[in-house]
Amino acid sequence: MANSSTQSNTTRQALDELAALFLTPAPPSATATPPPAAKPAAPRPEQRSASPNATATAVPQPHSPAVEAVMLGHLPGFASPWITQYAHILTQREQGDVAIAHVDDDEDAQPGVRLEMVQLGDQTDPPPPLKLHAETLEQAIAAIVPEVSTVLVVVTDPERPRIRRWLEHVSCWTLISGADETAIVGAYRLLKALRQSPFAASVDPPRVQLALMGSDDEVAAAAVARLARATAKHLDITPTLAASRKRLEPARRHPIWQVDQLEDALPRLLQALEQATPSPAPINYNGNGTAAPSTSNGHAAPTTDPPTEAPPKPPRAEATQADARKDEETAGMSTYLENNAIALAARCPRCASVELAVDAAGQLHLMRVVNDATPADAALRELIETRAWAVEHAAVLALTLPNRTLNPALQPRLHLFSAEPAPLLERLAHASHPAQQLLALHLLKPVELAGQITHVHAALTHG
């Protein structure tokens, strides 16, 4: 019974996430706050008096820049220019320069830190010869802290346990992403992975914000509002819109310092920032050269590496043989659809068990079978991911259609086939769950007739 209750809860959450991410717009009170307006152009005295050739021996002035952990989502084109664009927005808003610290903390590669400066002003202004003369990372950070209004710490692969452990001790997370459906689904998946970290329970939730690039303010606000509905309900965080920019603009970016082959690059960088800028939750080093983050109650967290997590599940394209055999038993789900739907050979690379079909009206249908290897909640999430993939690649999918065209006015319809659909049906029917607008539920049960196995089908809901 306990296992059944757990499966029911996870299925309910998957249905709720589906509705929150893709259905009705948020009410006015839940709409994402527009990006903050730029401050009046009043140069900061301490910054204007600072020399751009500051050395590592410079004494930091009493100034505490904001520190943001920056993660990258699904972006239009290359990611690096959009990091600069976000920093450029901050220079205009805060009327001060912004430092970008690119952290490579990959144990399998060459770890290190690259420091860049994005300066206030446009690219036509003559750039000063910025260069830090520092021998250590700590000296470099001490030199730039008095010069900037914000430090952006850009981390790669934030879902790795080693990185997640340290992200929990940065009070502001900024996700730079696109605003399309694929990007928002990806943002939700990343935030969910980070908030379900075993280290998340020991600290207060961070302030989460999004910088949505390649879209205007209205589209960006709507996308963040949609994401915030889902995260507020299921992850106990409500992201806000930090910035948006539709296209690249000129910006003054200069590399100022770099160190390679630096072990513990991320914790050492955060430690250096803590030393240079007073903080209520310092990060302390122990005697053996490794770092120990402080928890919210002021005590040092354990310095041992987190328990090794199980490797991520392989993509559905690498389904087990048993799962594949079960799928083959009910292959050709399009035969159960209405309006003369025909199957497509195309598959989402990560969810190869989800079948695709298009009907005579040009509407795309996504179909997944629930079985022992793939329970209802996992099947629903595969449908969600495939939906985002199909929307992003609609133009390519259209090329695979046999004598049909996709109708862009019709949203993809999701179909879930199950031999035991009662729990799902009860959940969908209860209080007219909004996921009914997206999901069609089907009974598909194998039965034996005259020594032959056949399948009984009935459409229970129509989406």
Side-chain angles (χ1 to χ4, degrees):
M1 288 294 294
N3 186 47
S4 175
S5 175
T6 301
Q7 289 184 357
S8 176
N9 289 336
T10 55
T11 300
R12 180 182 301 112
Q13 181 178 355
L15 285 170
D16 293 343
E17 290 172 354
L18 172 67
L21 279 171
F22 296 120
L23 289 177
T24 55
S29 60
T31 302
T33 305
K39 293 182 179 180
R44 299 201 330 264
E46 72 271 19
Q47 183 175 356
R48 299 281 73 85
S49 61
S51 168
N53 293 306
T55 66
T57 58
V59 178
Q61 301 183 32
H63 165 61
S64 297
V67 177
E68 301 178 16
V70 173
M71 294 163 275
L72 304 177
H74 189 279
L75 282 159
F78 293 105
S80 181
W82 293 116
I83 302 173
T84 303
Q85 291 299 298
Y86 176 58
H88 184 238
I89 293 172
L90 294 182
T91 65
Q92 297 172 322
R93 183 182 301 163
E94 303 297 332
Q95 290 299 301
D97 299 342
V98 172
I100 303 175
H102 297 270
V103 182
D104 186 353
D105 202 57
D106 190 346
E107 295 174 340
D108 299 328
Q110 188 180 66
V113 176
R114 289 184 295 111
L115 298 180
E116 299 174 340
M117 186 85 80
V118 177
Q119 293 183 288
L120 180 64
D122 57 44
Q123 204 172 31
T124 60
D125 296 337
L130 287 173
K131 211 67 178 178
L132 283 180
H133 304 289
E135 295 182 358
T136 67
L137 174 64
E138 290 74 16
Q139 292 174 343
I141 293 300
I144 67 170
V145 159
E147 307 285 338
V148 299
S149 62
T150 306
V151 179
L152 304 180
V153 180
V154 182
V155 296
T156 57
D157 200 7
E159 294 186 59
R160 287 174 53 215
R162 175 183 175 84
I163 304 300
R164 275 192 307 195
R165 178 189 182 192
W166 290 100
L167 284 177
E168 295 296 341
H169 299 276
V170 181
S171 61
C172 179
W173 296 354
T174 302
L175 177 59
I176 302 179
S177 172
D180 58 274
E181 192 169 284
T182 302
I184 296 305
V185 171
Y188 180 85
R189 287 167 59 92
L190 174 60
L191 293 176
K192 182 175 181 178
L194 293 176
R195 289 307 298 152
Q196 290 180 343
S197 161
F199 321 111
S202 64
V203 293
D204 295 331
R207 177 168 61 91
V208 178
Q209 56 186 20
L210 275 80
L212 298 187
M213 302 301 174
S215 63
D216 56 30
D217 291 347
E218 183 178 355
V219 172
V224 172
R226 191 165 70 248
L227 177 65
R229 280 203 313 278
T231 57
K233 185 173 182 179
H234 302 292
L235 307 181
D236 196 28
I237 53 176
T238 304
T240 58
L241 180 60
S244 64
R245 177 165 285 182
K246 190 166 187 177
R247 58 181 59 87
L248 298 173
E249 296 184 10
R252 298 172 60 190
R253 178 183 63 86
H254 308 282
I256 56 175
W257 193 80
Q258 179 171 342
V259 60
D260 298 321
Q261 298 182 342
L262 180 68
E263 294 186 2
D264 296 321
L266 180 58
R268 284 192 61 177
L269 173 63
L270 296 178
Q271 169 73 4
L273 287 168
E274 292 287 352
Q275 291 175 341
T277 58
S279 170
I283 299 177
N284 302 311
Y285 268 99
N286 58 27
N288 61 8
T290 59
S294 297
T295 61
S296 56
N297 59 12
H299 299 292
T303 61
T304 57
D305 288 335
T308 303
E309 294 187 352
K313 293 182 179 180
R316 297 303 304 166
E318 301 174 11
T320 63
Q321 293 182 355
D323 196 6
R325 284 196 300 270
K326 291 178 181 294
D327 288 342
E328 289 173 2
E329 294 174 1
T330 51
M333 296 298 106
S334 61
T335 59
Y336 299 111
L337 303 184
E338 300 175 351
N339 202 11
N340 193 25
I342 57 175
L344 303 181
R347 290 290 188 274
C348 173
R350 290 181 55 85
C351 306
S353 294
V354 176
E355 295 186 33
L356 284 74
V358 63
D359 64 23
Q363 185 172 28
L364 187 65
H365 298 262
L366 312 177
M367 298 154 287
R368 183 64 168 101
V369 178
V370 175
N371 53 42
D372 293 341
T374 308
D377 60 304
L380 279 168
R381 292 193 172 97
E382 286 190 18
L383 286 171
I384 292 173
E385 183 166 350
T386 304
R387 183 186 191 275
W389 172 85
V391 169
E392 181 186 8
H393 298 88
V396 177
L397 282 175
L399 299 177
T400 70
L401 299 184
N403 303 320
R404 289 192 177 176
T405 58
L406 282 179
N407 186 342
L410 299 176
Q411 292 295 315
R413 181 175 293 180
L414 313 183
H415 300 265
L416 200 61
F417 293 81
S418 175
E420 302 292 339
L424 272 171
L425 184 62
E426 179 182 0
R427 178 60 183 166
L428 285 172
H430 178 67
S432 299
H433 195 287
Q436 289 186 21
Q437 301 175 43
L438 292 170
L439 180 67
L441 183 61
H442 300 254
L443 167 69
L444 190 67
K445 193 174 184 67
V447 295
E448 184 176 350
L449 293 175
Q452 299 292 325
I453 299 295
T454 186
H455 291 86
V456 174
H457 170 261
L460 305 178
T461 65
H462 293 280

